[in-house]
């Protein structure tokens, strides 16, 4: 059974800092891995999708990498802004399945 | 930009009552999903739906739950005889492609409170 873990659970950084959020998964037989943003009491906003054949994806100040062999993905946020404050979730889809298995998330606070 | 729409945003129901949560997936999407998030916990998969039938379901999705696509646009989750532990945020999602290889888009959720 796939297990997804995110470390750290919470992170506080000053505005302008570059930061890395970590995601690990136990079963490397994945189709893809997706990063989401969740604001308090709100839905999930898709940030980046990395297919299993890809090593990384970029969107604006966000860059996500995937290393299937080690069961790890990272989300890099450049030049953080207070508006980036939210919980960031990673989720994996296993081969032969349709379901996303989520981590518990990293709660990011960017201090002005 | 196309989005997944869920109604209502918040529903309060008494224990033992039936509730129906409604979703309008993105129009050209073929796969539909329900997830839930109990306060402070992980987002959990409930069920996936394709070609008018359930394609996968989790252990959580027992006989108390059912899904339906009553017409060409709506996708519903019915919970019969609600329990206190059903209180959670319920998310609908949809995606376009096959074999789980495409991006899933989520709605804003329905917060269900069972009292």
């Amino acid at each position: 059974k796939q297990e997804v873990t995110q470390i750290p659970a919470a992170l506080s950084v000053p505005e302008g800092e570059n930061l890395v959020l970590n995601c690990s998964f136990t079963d490397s037989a994945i189709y893809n891995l997706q990063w989401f943003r969740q604001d308090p009491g709100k839905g999930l906003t898709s940030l980046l999708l990395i297919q299993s054949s890809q090593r990384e994806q970029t969107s604006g100040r966000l860059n996500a990498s995937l290393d299937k062999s080690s069961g790890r993905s990272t989300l890099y946020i450049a030049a953080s802004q207070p508006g980036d404050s939210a919980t960031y979730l990673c989720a994996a889809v296993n081969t032969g399945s349709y379901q996303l298995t989520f981590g518990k998330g990293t709660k990011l606070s960017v201090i002005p | 930009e196309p989005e997944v729409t869920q109604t209502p945003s918040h529903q309060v129901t008494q224990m033992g009552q039936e509730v129906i949560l409604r979703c309008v997936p993105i129009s050209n999407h073929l796969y539909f999903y329900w997830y839930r998030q109990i306060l402070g916990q992980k987002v959990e998969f409930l069920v996936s739906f394709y070609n008018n039938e359930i394609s996968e379901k989790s252990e959580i999705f027992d006989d108390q739950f059912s899904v339906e696509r009553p017409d060409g646009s709506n996708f519903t989750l019915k919970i019969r005889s609600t329990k206190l532990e059903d209180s959670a945020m319920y998310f609908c999602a949809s995606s376009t492609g096959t074999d789980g290889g495409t991006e899933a888009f989520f709605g804003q959720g329905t917060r269900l409170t069972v009292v």
Side-chain angles (χ1 to χ4, degrees):
Chain A
K1 181 185 174 185
Q2 180 73 273
E3 297 285 344
V4 177
T5 303
Q6 292 187 248
I7 295 173
L11 181 64
S12 184
V13 300
E15 181 177 1
E17 194 162 293
N18 302 325
L19 58 101
V20 174
L21 307 180
N22 296 295
C23 171
S24 61
F25 46 94
T26 55
D27 186 349
S28 61
I30 62 170
Y31 265 128
N32 63 48
L33 188 136
Q34 199 166 347
W35 283 91
F36 294 90
R37 169 185 173 137
Q38 184 175 31
D39 292 285
K42 303 293 185 182
L44 308 179
T45 300
S46 179
L47 298 173
L48 288 164
L49 171 76
I50 311 178
Q51 303 286 1
S52 61
S53 57
Q54 298 174 320
R55 297 284 294 184
E56 64 178 62
Q57 279 281 14
T58 298
S59 176
R61 294 183 293 109
L62 306 179
N63 176 276
S65 67
L66 175 64
D67 184 343
K68 278 180 55 178
S69 61
S70 66
R72 294 179 61 185
S73 177
T74 61
L75 180 67
Y76 174 83
I77 303 177
S80 58
Q81 302 170 358
D84 295 331
S85 297
T87 296
Y88 290 81
L89 305 175
C90 73
V93 175
N94 272 54
T95 306
S97 173
Y98 297 86
Q99 64 177 282
L100 285 157
T101 302
F102 282 84
K104 202 169 181 182
T106 294
K107 185 175 181 179
L108 174 66
S109 299
V110 180
I111 311 302
Chain B
E1 184 173 326
E3 59 180 16
V4 176
T5 305
Q6 292 186 242
T7 55
S9 56
H10 191 188
Q11 179 148 5
V12 181
T13 189
Q14 287 196 324
M15 189 169 53
Q17 295 297 305
E18 174 182 288
V19 295
I20 297 177
L21 310 183
R22 290 177 164 60
C23 170
V24 178
I26 296 173
S27 61
N28 65 335
H29 285 189
L30 301 176
Y31 286 80
F32 315 119
Y33 315 86
W34 285 101
Y35 289 81
R36 79 173 184 188
Q37 185 177 33
I38 296 171
L39 189 64
Q41 299 188 21
K42 292 184 179 184
V43 177
E44 302 173 290
F45 170 78
L46 293 178
V47 65
S48 60
F49 192 86
Y50 169 72
N51 199 25
N52 284 318
E53 60 182 25
I54 290 173
S55 52
E56 194 173 11
K57 61 182 181 179
S58 71
E59 297 167 348
I60 303 168
F61 194 87
D62 59 20
D63 292 344
Q64 178 194 14
F65 294 91
S66 63
V67 290
E68 189 178 31
R69 187 153 166 84
D71 53 43
S73 59
N74 290 284
F75 180 51
T76 62
L77 175 69
K78 181 189 291 185
I79 310 175
R80 287 183 279 273
S81 189
T82 50
K83 307 169 191 167
L84 294 176
E85 55 264 37
D86 294 328
S87 295
M89 183 76 97
Y90 288 80
F91 294 110
C92 175
S94 66
S95 64
T96 56
T98 59
D99 301 324
T102 60
E103 190 172 5
F105 293 87
F106 281 70
Q108 290 299 300
T110 293
R111 181 168 298 283
L112 177 65
T113 303
V114 183
V115 296

